């Protein structure tokens, strides 16, 4: 069995745990005046912060992303593709579904704002629908940096992740000591980039030559995390908790870096057993459909929460035991099952839209198959001279997604005009540039065929 099957499992597993984790910690309360509020479970019941050790699974998503991107870029480069051509395809796979999702949510926000929905309620809903967006600008940036990161990997191999980690630690120290919050933005790329870079190493077999290395990574990362939490300034929570300073995720901290190393090491230790399990076709048939709709699950998984809130909390039908009580925890299972049923319906309803986006993606170029590499050798100079729309589009999209992740789709109950315009323009530029590149490639190929004839 190819290693790709294990990578696909990691992506699916990470998405499922992200969805379940968000649902599990979501608490809703109907106030006497009829408003719905969402108290923060991790802050109200502090012991629940330990649960984040099980549900903070994003290191594995970046690990799998690096593994897949390294292979995809290596194939594209071997076929003569350019960095801009490869990046255009990768970016479009994220931006098209994200753009459609954002457009529909923003349309709903605009309508609700026009009819006079309570601004606080609208802000809460807008935040809930954008809470998962933090991942997208980070992943887009790492995708854009893949060519130089992979070149560094090819030259220095296992030396690159420790160097990135060391720089991340320096940045974290500066953030804590001189209070430079904007400097901390670098750690989003550096800390998560360590997992991404380790994905390159995993693909090329550098991490699995000896079983000792994964064991050392898992044990040393776990010990470092425990020491940083017990003796250092860092909390145990691996998810942002309001008012908690410093945070392990905003920006990613030294403790998060230790957790990345520990989780990657543990993943490498269990990977052989996971591969043997995935060789069974019955198991693989359960995993593959989840991977096929992973982006849909990631983007839309908070919509069922809003639907259930409207159906049961606004109407007063939902039981509301004390937050964190035994009765409250007892209701978590039916809560998760109900949300899962609603999300299944949402995914089914969105299937035609997903197919339409797939068709649009395919029309943006002849070599647009995901991670398949170009179908023919592209002219090496087809993109670099005219790639500025791609880079401008990516910059606008990253800035807009970061702003939406920070403040939501309805900050203070208002329509986010600038982020909405930035995301729309950025997605349009990347799409247009990808389409024109595909057309140029087709014309170049036709000219070559005519010359040969």
């Amino acid at each position: 069995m190819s290693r790709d099957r294990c990578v696909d499992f990691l992506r699916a597993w990470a998405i499922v745990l992200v969805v379940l984790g968000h649902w599990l910690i979501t608490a809703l309360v109907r106030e006497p005046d009829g408003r719905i509020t969402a108290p923060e479970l991790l802050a109200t019941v502090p012991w629940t912060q330990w649960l984040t050790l099980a549900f903070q699974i994003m290191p594995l998503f970046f690990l799998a992303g690096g593994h897949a991107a390294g292979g995809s870029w290596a194939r594209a480069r071997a076929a003569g593709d350019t960095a801009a051509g490869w990046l255009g395809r990768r970016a479009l796979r994220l931006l098209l579904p994200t753009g459609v999702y954002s457009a529909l949510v923003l349309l709903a926000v605009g309508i609700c704002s026009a009819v006079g929905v309570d601004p606080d309620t609208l802000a809460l809903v807008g935040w809930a629908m954008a809470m998962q967006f933090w991942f997208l600008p980070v992943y887009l940036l790492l995708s854009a940096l893949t060519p130089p990161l992979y070149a560094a990997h090819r030259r220095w191999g296992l030396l690159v992740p420790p160097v990135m980690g060391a720089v991340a630690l320096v940045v974290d120290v500066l953030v804590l000591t001189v209070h430079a919050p904007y400097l901390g933005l670098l750690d989003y790329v550096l800390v998560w980039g360590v997992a991404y870079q380790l994905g390159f190493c995993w693909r090329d077999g550098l991490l699995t030559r000896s079983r000792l290395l994964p064991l050392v990574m898992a044990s040393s990362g776990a010990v470092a995390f425990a020491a940083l939490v017990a003796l250092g300034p860092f909390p145990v929570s691996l998810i942002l908790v309001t008012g908690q300073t410093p945070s392990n995720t905003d920006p990613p901290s030294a403790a998060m870096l230790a957790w990345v190393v520990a989780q990657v090491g543990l993943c490498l230790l269990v990977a052989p057993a996971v591969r043997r399990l995935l060789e069974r076709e019955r198991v693989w048939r359960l995993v593959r459909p989840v991977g096929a709709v992973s982006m849909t699950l990631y983007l839309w998984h908070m919509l069922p929460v809003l639907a259930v809130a409207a159906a049961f909390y606004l109407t007063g039908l939902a039981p509301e035991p004390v937050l964190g009580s035994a009765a409250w925890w007892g209701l978590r299972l039916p809560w998760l099952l109900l949300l899962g049923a609603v999300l299944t319906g949402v995914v089914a309803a969105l299937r035609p839209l997903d197919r339409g986006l797939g068709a649009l993606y395919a029309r943006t170029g002849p070599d647009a198959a995901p991670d398949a590499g170009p179908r023919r050798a592209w002219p090496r100079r087809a993109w670099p001279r005219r790639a500025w729309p791609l880079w401008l589009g990516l910059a606008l999209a990253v800035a807009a997604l970061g702003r939406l992740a920070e403040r939501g789709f309805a900050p203070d109950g208002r329509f986010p005009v600038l982020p909405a315009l930035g995301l729309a323009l950025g997605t349009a530029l990347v799409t247009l540039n990808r389409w024109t590149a595909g057309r140029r490639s087709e014309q170049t190929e036709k000219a070559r065929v005519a010359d040969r004839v």
Side-chain angles (χ1 to χ4, degrees):
M1 183 193 67
S2 69
R3 183 178 293 173
D4 288 343
R5 187 171 284 194
C6 185
V7 172
D8 289 342
F9 168 79
L10 287 182
R11 286 169 165 169
W13 180 246
I15 289 295
V16 168
L17 281 189
V18 166
V19 171
L20 290 178
H22 284 168
W23 286 352
L24 184 66
I25 65 173
T26 298
L28 300 176
V29 174
R30 187 177 188 270
E31 302 293 348
D33 59 2
R35 292 183 302 111
I36 303 298
T37 59
E40 192 172 353
L41 178 67
L42 298 180
T44 307
V45 187
W47 71 263
T48 59
Q49 295 180 24
W50 288 93
L51 297 176
T52 64
L53 301 185
F55 287 97
Q56 179 50 273
I57 204 75
M58 294 311 290
L60 295 188
F61 202 97
F62 283 100
L63 175 71
H67 187 292
S72 176
W73 169 237
R75 291 190 297 271
R77 186 183 60 170
D81 200 357
T82 64
W86 176 85
L87 178 59
R89 294 191 300 277
R90 303 285 292 188
L92 210 56
R93 293 178 62 199
L94 287 179
L95 289 178
L96 281 179
T98 302
V100 171
Y101 169 84
S102 300
L104 294 175
V105 174
L106 288 168
L107 176 62
V109 168
I111 294 173
C112 291
S113 179
V115 300
V117 172
D118 175 63
D120 292 336
T121 301
L122 193 57
L124 176 62
V125 171
W127 172 82
M129 296 299 284
M131 63 183 296
Q132 72 276 34
F133 268 26
W134 72 267
F135 163 81
L136 299 173
V138 178
Y139 199 81
L140 283 171
L141 285 173
L142 286 174
S143 296
L145 292 172
T146 294
L149 288 177
Y150 192 75
H153 160 74
R154 295 288 293 173
R155 182 168 184 177
W156 293 294
L158 283 174
L159 292 177
V160 181
V163 170
M164 293 176 66
V167 177
L169 291 177
V170 172
V171 171
D172 198 31
V173 169
L174 293 175
V175 170
L176 292 175
T177 55
V178 302
H179 307 291
Y182 290 104
L183 186 62
L185 294 175
L186 291 174
D187 270 351
Y188 281 98
V189 175
L190 290 170
V191 172
W192 298 119
V194 168
Y196 193 80
Q197 197 79 21
L198 288 171
F200 298 161
C201 299
W202 184 27
R203 176 183 175 270
D204 288 349
L206 300 181
L207 297 178
T208 52
R209 291 175 179 173
S210 167
R211 191 171 179 83
L212 182 61
L213 180 57
L215 181 62
V216 170
M217 292 175 64
S219 57
S220 62
V223 169
F225 176 80
L228 289 167
V229 171
L231 305 176
F234 302 104
V236 71
S237 177
L238 291 171
I239 297 176
L240 179 65
V241 178
T242 301
Q244 195 174 72
T245 303
S247 165
N248 283 328
T249 59
D250 187 26
S253 67
M256 179 62 81
L257 177 60
W259 192 253
V260 166
V261 175
Q263 198 169 94
V264 170
L266 180 61
C267 171
L268 296 175
L269 288 174
V270 302
V274 171
R275 289 196 183 96
R276 289 193 295 270
L277 183 63
L278 293 174
E279 288 175 353
R280 304 176 183 177
E281 287 304 317
R282 290 183 179 180
V283 176
W284 179 239
R285 282 197 295 266
L286 294 175
V287 173
R288 186 168 58 180
V290 177
V293 296
S294 59
M295 193 64 181
T296 303
L297 293 175
Y298 188 78
L299 289 173
W300 291 91
H301 72 271
M302 289 304 289
L303 181 61
V305 175
L306 302 183
V308 171
F312 293 95
Y313 283 86
L314 284 178
T315 59
L317 296 176
E320 296 190 47
V322 176
L323 181 63
S325 65
W328 187 86
W329 284 107
L331 289 172
R332 288 290 91 181
L333 179 58
W335 164 259
L336 294 177
L337 292 176
L338 180 58
L339 293 177
V342 175
L343 184 58
T344 300
V346 170
V347 171
L350 291 171
R351 192 169 299 160
L353 178 60
D354 288 339
R355 290 173 179 168
L357 290 177
L360 176 62
Y361 177 80
R363 285 197 296 271
T364 60
D367 58 341
D371 289 327
R375 296 181 183 175
R376 61 174 66 93
W378 281 31
R380 291 184 180 274
R381 298 185 180 276
W383 273 56
R385 295 176 181 175
R386 304 179 184 178
W388 67 264
L390 169 69
W391 304 114
L392 177 58
L394 280 177
L396 290 172
V398 166
L401 290 170
R403 190 63 171 172
L404 290 172
E406 179 186 8
R407 304 198 62 193
F409 280 108
D412 302 319
R414 298 192 302 270
F415 188 89
V417 177
L418 290 181
L421 290 175
L423 181 57
L425 181 57
T427 303
L429 285 172
V430 173
T431 304
L432 178 63
N433 200 60
R434 181 75 200 100
W435 182 80
T436 55
R439 293 293 299 274
R440 287 196 298 271
S441 177
E442 288 181 339
Q443 293 169 0
T444 301
E445 185 68 17
K446 290 179 180 177
R448 289 180 174 181
V449 171
D451 289 341
R452 288 197 296 268
V453 172

